[in-house]
Amino acid sequence: MGLEINTLAIIPLMTKMHHPRAAESATKYFLTQATASALILFSTTINAWMTGEWTIMNMTNPTPTVILTLALAIKLGIAPFHLWLPDVLQGLNMLTCLVLSTWQKLAPMALMMLTSHQLNTNLLIAMALMSTIIGGWGGLNQTQMRKIMAYSSIAHLGWMILVISFAPNLALLNLLIYLVLTSSMFLMLMTLNSTNTNKLSISWSKTPTLAASMMVTLMALGGLPPTSGFLPKWLILQEMTKQHLGALSALMAMSALLSLFFYIRLSYTISMTSPPNISNSSLTWRKKKNLTYVIPILIIMSAAMMPITPTLLLLN
């Protein structure tokens, strides 16, 4: 019931724009989420029929467990059930995209963490590897920022579900850092009013400081040290190596390079390209922007959480 309320409550936010693309996005989102909710109910019903209990904390039979895993994967947009996410985000405004990419992931991820000890590990690993590869590959040829952020979300979710069976605390840490990075990225895109790479290339002439900060956040999303984004990847690869999954760790690390390529391409667009300009002035006419205090805090957290790794591990 909570998941359904969560789904239905965001539909009015999606259709706020009164545009055919927004209506299409809302319809696609509703249908996928309703299907996933029905599968969760189906899984719990089968479990209740087999065990006589309605609780999902101790599923013993593989059938309801696999159905629950697939249902949560559809809810989150994990590959191969990812196709709805880029299309839905492309039809929405930036603020709704921010809510969809961050807040809407919390409920299904909480359910996945609760049941992580009994979910099918091989299925999770296969979906994780597929998500990181598709998340990197899909974003390579994109010019729309919302689609790039959707594929980025798919790749990050892949890293989370990879480690969720072995160390749920690392998955939680990854989720928290993903929320910080994605929130700061969307807030900066909203401030600069950039929806595609062409608009992004003139962002330095609007707010140079914010454009430089966006470059750092992009590097953090790609997982480059010493930014915060490197921290979960490093800890997850370390955990996978401890579990004697060396080949899988190597594949995951290589698939992260695909994502890193389009983040570096965006950084290059922001910092080293200037659009054809007929004006003699190098700076565009700029409005006074009311930058909130949230953006600087999120940027600092995106760039500088690496040194406090031991503290974060102790908290987990």
Side-chain angles (χ1 to χ4, degrees):
M1 195 174 75
L3 287 168
E4 278 304 291
I5 292 168
N6 190 21
T7 301
L8 292 171
I10 202 173
I11 300 290
L13 287 175
M14 289 178 153
T15 51
K16 189 175 65 175
M17 286 206 302
H18 301 295
H19 191 273
R21 289 297 296 267
E24 183 191 334
S25 291
T27 310
K28 283 180 179 174
Y29 182 74
F30 175 73
L31 290 173
T32 49
Q33 298 298 309
T35 307
S37 298
L39 279 174
I40 291 173
L41 198 58
F42 184 48
S43 144
T44 48
T45 310
I46 292 175
N47 185 56
W49 177 52
M50 288 176 167
T51 62
E53 286 186 8
W54 280 101
T55 176
I56 59 166
M57 290 297 288
N58 50 3
M59 286 186 175
T60 50
N61 198 283
T63 308
T65 311
V66 168
I67 294 171
L68 182 66
T69 311
L70 296 177
L72 292 172
I74 294 169
K75 272 214 167 287
L76 287 163
I78 294 163
F81 310 105
H82 65 286
L83 292 167
W84 62 271
L85 189 57
D87 284 348
V88 165
L89 284 195
Q90 187 54 35
L92 308 175
N93 63 3
M94 282 291 182
L95 185 60
T96 318
C97 286
L98 169 60
V99 175
L100 200 69
S101 303
T102 54
W103 185 258
Q104 294 297 102
K105 305 284 184 203
L106 295 180
M109 193 50 84
L111 268 179
M112 202 169 245
M113 281 178 184
L114 273 174
T115 55
S116 60
H117 59 282
Q118 63 195 12
L119 295 179
N120 189 319
T121 310
N122 293 332
L123 183 60
L124 284 176
I125 288 173
M127 287 196 299
L129 189 58
M130 210 183 300
S131 294
T132 47
I133 292 169
I134 288 172
W137 217 332
L140 286 180
N141 211 21
Q142 298 296 336
T143 55
Q144 297 293 327
M145 287 308 299
R146 284 167 289 197
K147 280 198 173 179
I148 288 175
M149 290 308 293
Y151 283 111
S152 163
S153 174
I154 292 163
H156 277 91
L157 286 166
W159 283 90
M160 282 176 230
I161 64 159
L162 174 72
V163 80
I164 205 162
S165 300
F166 306 106
N169 57 340
L170 283 186
L172 179 61
L173 177 66
N174 195 348
L175 177 65
L176 293 173
I177 289 176
Y178 160 77
L179 293 177
V180 168
L181 296 176
T182 308
S183 303
S184 63
M185 193 65 201
F186 270 117
L187 287 169
M188 283 190 275
L189 289 171
M190 283 157 60
T191 309
L192 295 169
N193 198 21
S194 301
T195 51
N196 56 34
T197 47
N198 288 343
K199 286 183 182 175
L200 207 61
S201 63
I202 58 165
S203 59
W204 65 270
S205 61
K206 293 177 185 171
T207 320
T209 318
L210 203 60
S213 306
M214 190 187 278
M215 197 168 69
V216 176
T217 310
L218 282 165
M219 293 296 100
L221 278 166
L224 283 187
T227 58
S228 307
F230 176 63
L231 169 61
K233 286 187 171 61
W234 165 39
L235 293 171
I236 288 169
L237 289 177
Q238 191 178 351
E239 180 63 34
M240 290 292 104
T241 316
K242 280 181 191 169
Q243 300 289 340
H244 307 291
L245 295 167
L248 179 67
S249 304
L251 281 170
M252 289 295 287
M254 283 192 284
S255 65
L257 294 175
L258 289 168
S259 300
L260 186 60
F261 177 79
F262 64 78
Y263 294 130
I264 289 175
R265 196 186 66 191
L266 287 174
S267 302
Y268 172 77
T269 307
I270 294 164
S271 58
M272 294 186 182
T273 56
S274 54
N277 203 350
I278 53 167
S279 166
N280 292 326
S281 167
S282 62
L283 296 177
T284 56
W285 184 266
R286 53 174 96 175
K287 294 184 291 183
K288 184 172 173 55
K289 289 191 181 292
N290 297 321
L291 287 173
T292 58
Y293 291 108
V294 179
I295 298 177
I297 294 165
L298 287 172
I299 291 166
I300 291 164
M301 286 174 75
S302 305
M305 277 168 74
M306 188 76 188
I308 57 166
T309 309
T311 316
L312 290 171
L313 289 176
L314 282 173
L315 288 172
N316 275 328

